[in-house]
Amino acid sequence: MLALEGITHRYRDGSTVSLPTWQGGSGEHWAIIGPSGSGKSTFLHILAGLLRPAAGRIVVGDQELHRMGERALDRFRGRHIGLVFQTLHLVAALTVTDNLRLARYFADLPRDDTRIRTVLGRLDIDELADQYPHRLSQGQAQRVAIARALVNEPLAILAAEPTSALDDRNCRQVMALLTEQARESGASLIVATHDGRVREYMEHTLELAPGTSEAHHA
Ligand code: ADP
Ligand code: MG
């Protein structure tokens, strides 16, 4: 189960964003769709425990994230949440395999190179195992990012704008990858995007209305 209830986030400049109460069942696929400024990034960052809201409840699996301390939250995220964020770069000095080993290490999981080979194989990028990030094409880097999100068998995969830069064919390919991989691992899939094409690939849609936020200036 995933849930956000009565969430209000206050950014440092004092502006506040309120999110609609939302519940997703385990294994469900959700598109979180809205125009720029409607709160998609805030939604994902709060669900991932990367932002701490001023008010409200965050539930992932059987845990209440709003009650957890920073360290517990970091460990929980590493272990149970797979992030596919464009700004979450791979470590440049490490090969693809070592980047995936690192994801397991940060989650306090034992080294498991069989698991890593399995995930790379499922994404059809076995041949990139010993490659360094700067040698990857954009499409390959996106597959590696998905592999890294999957390697710890997360409860939920959270993806931010995975298709915005892609033509229809590549959009279909990436959405097929995400939905198939989520289904195979039994993970919930949450895709936040302004890209309306994503609707047709997802079972459920939450529409975020423009202007859910209020600016407060002193
Ligand atoms: P989206 O991802 O849909 O574009 P965001 O979650 O980024 O929406 O933003 C929602 C609202 O919060 C917007 O009004 C935006 O201006 C505001 N906001 C987002 N990030 C910050 C920030 N770091 N500081 C102040 N306001 C922010
Ligand atoms: Mg955004």
Side-chain angles (χ1 to χ4, degrees):
M1 216 259 283
L2 301 171
L4 295 183
E5 290 175 19
I7 296 284
T8 296
H9 184 64
R10 181 168 294 111
Y11 281 104
R12 259 190 241 156
D13 67 355
S15 56
T16 60
V17 183
S18 293
L19 298 173
T21 285
W22 166 81
Q23 271 194 20
S26 73
E28 287 182 359
H29 295 181
W30 282 83
I32 311 299
I33 296 203
S36 174
S38 60
K40 304 178 297 291
S41 297
T42 307
F43 185 104
L44 272 200
H45 288 124
I46 284 180
L47 192 58
L50 289 164
L51 282 179
R52 197 179 281 281
R57 299 181 69 229
I58 312 156
V59 181
V60 176
D62 58 2
Q63 296 292 312
E64 303 199 295
L65 271 54
H66 56 286
R67 293 183 189 277
M68 294 169 76
E70 293 303 321
R71 287 187 57 178
L73 208 47
D74 285 345
R75 178 169 311 164
F76 181 82
R77 183 187 317 112
R79 175 62 192 86
H80 296 294
I81 299 179
L83 299 175
V84 186
F85 286 7
Q86 280 153 343
T87 51
L88 241 165
H89 297 294
L90 301 165
V91 178
L94 299 179
T95 64
V96 165
T97 296
D98 282 336
N99 267 281
L100 298 191
R101 285 181 181 141
L102 192 65
R104 291 188 64 84
Y105 174 80
F106 279 137
D108 282 334
L109 290 170
R111 183 159 163 164
D112 185 349
D113 288 355
T114 306
R115 169 75 189 158
I116 289 173
R117 274 194 300 274
T118 301
V119 170
L120 293 178
R122 264 165 55 182
L123 290 161
D124 209 19
I125 47 172
D126 329 52
E127 77 281 4
L128 301 180
D130 300 318
Q131 200 63 267
Y132 286 88
H134 71 275
R135 300 285 306 274
L136 303 174
S137 73
Q138 205 183 328
Q140 289 173 333
Q142 194 167 29
R143 279 178 190 246
V144 172
I146 295 171
R148 188 180 54 175
L150 288 165
V151 72
N152 295 346
E153 300 175 84
L155 290 168
I157 299 163
L158 310 186
E161 302 287 359
T163 58
S164 317
L166 305 178
D167 61 22
D168 287 349
R169 187 174 150 273
N170 285 303
C171 172
R172 188 181 323 116
Q173 224 171 50
V174 163
M175 289 313 297
L177 264 184
L178 282 170
T179 54
E180 281 162 19
Q181 297 301 323
R183 200 161 282 128
E184 271 186 44
S185 43
S188 303
L189 175 63
I190 316 297
V191 175
T193 185
H194 68 263
D195 182 353
R197 295 176 300 178
V198 164
R199 279 191 194 87
E200 71 179 275
Y201 301 100
M202 305 294 272
E203 300 152 350
H204 307 279
T205 302
L206 174 68
E207 305 278 348
L208 294 183
T212 48
S213 71
E214 287 173 45
H216 291 293
H217 296 293

